[in-house]
Amino acid sequence: LVYRGRGVQFHPEIPVSQFNHMIVHSEIDGKELWYDGTNRTSFPEITTLDVVNQQALVLDTSFSHLENIDEMIGNKLTIEGSFQHRDRDLIGTLEITLSNQYAVEFSFAKSYLNQKDMADYICQWLEKNLQNNIQVNSLRWELDSADFKIFTSCKIPSSIIHIGSSKYIRLGSILNRLIPMDISLMKTNELFYNPYYNHVSINLTIDNLFYFYHTNPAESVTWNLNYDLPIGPFTEIDKTGFISQIKSLKNLFTENIQCK
């Protein structure tokens, strides 16, 4: 028995009334396996994100007990991009890799959608999770083992701020949907870092935009950022630390870089 979904705090002292779903649990060679036969995007060993770190009541005739549904090791969203700036816009390419649990819904969608509908599905995901104003010029994708890869040439409008003769750019203008920018909307008593991606690697370069203040005046503006956040749920003690992590990450995304 498990609760599918987010936003509900689990109380282990009264577990039975807190479940809304049933899945299959087995243990093979010491490895915990979970399978949700009614969830169209679930596969053996790879659960969907809405049950990650949830408590499950394993029903056993000899010993019923609570088990934690662990997040998979190796979950990663990798974003690599190369851009040129044209006035206030960025024109270039993105290569995006979603690994393990992050790839589950894409691999399922690929199995039943036609090319046009799959392209629409990916474009909607890009707008919802990376940049809400992205303009996709070309798009292709591939499924490689446990990785789903997206390749796109695109335009990201109004990414550069002009103030007088100065130019400024921030990571949060390029990837304005990747993290929660309004932390006040995150209720600390119902806190899961979902549907945001919590294991992320970013490598972006703007080839013809250069740092204004730098020892090497010909060095292009570049972001190399890796972060790993817990997905929750959080104890009262953990919540404060998690919010601090999000605020620190937000500072990196909202830092204005002066460039030329």
Side-chain angles (χ1 to χ4, degrees), residues 230-255:
I231 202 169
F234 303 97
T235 65
E236 290 295 331
I237 296 174
D238 294 336
K239 289 170 188 173
T240 301
F242 175 72
I243 291 294
S244 296
Q245 286 181 281
I246 292 294
K247 287 181 177 178
S248 297
L249 186 59
K250 181 182 175 182
N251 288 339
L252 295 175
F253 273 69
T254 56
E255 177 188 8

Side-chain angles (χ1 to χ4, degrees), residues 12 42 73 96 99 125 142-143 177 191 202 231:
S42 179
I73 296 173
I96 300 158
S99 301
W125 179 87
E142 63 183 42
L143 183 62
R177 300 286 293 178
L191 194 57
I202 300 169
I231 202 169

Side-chain angles (χ1 to χ4, degrees), residues 6 26 36 61 79 88 98 134 223 228:
R6 294 301 192 189
S26 63
D36 185 354
T61 54
I79 303 167
R88 289 174 169 79
L98 299 106
I134 190 170
W223 288 272
D228 296 281

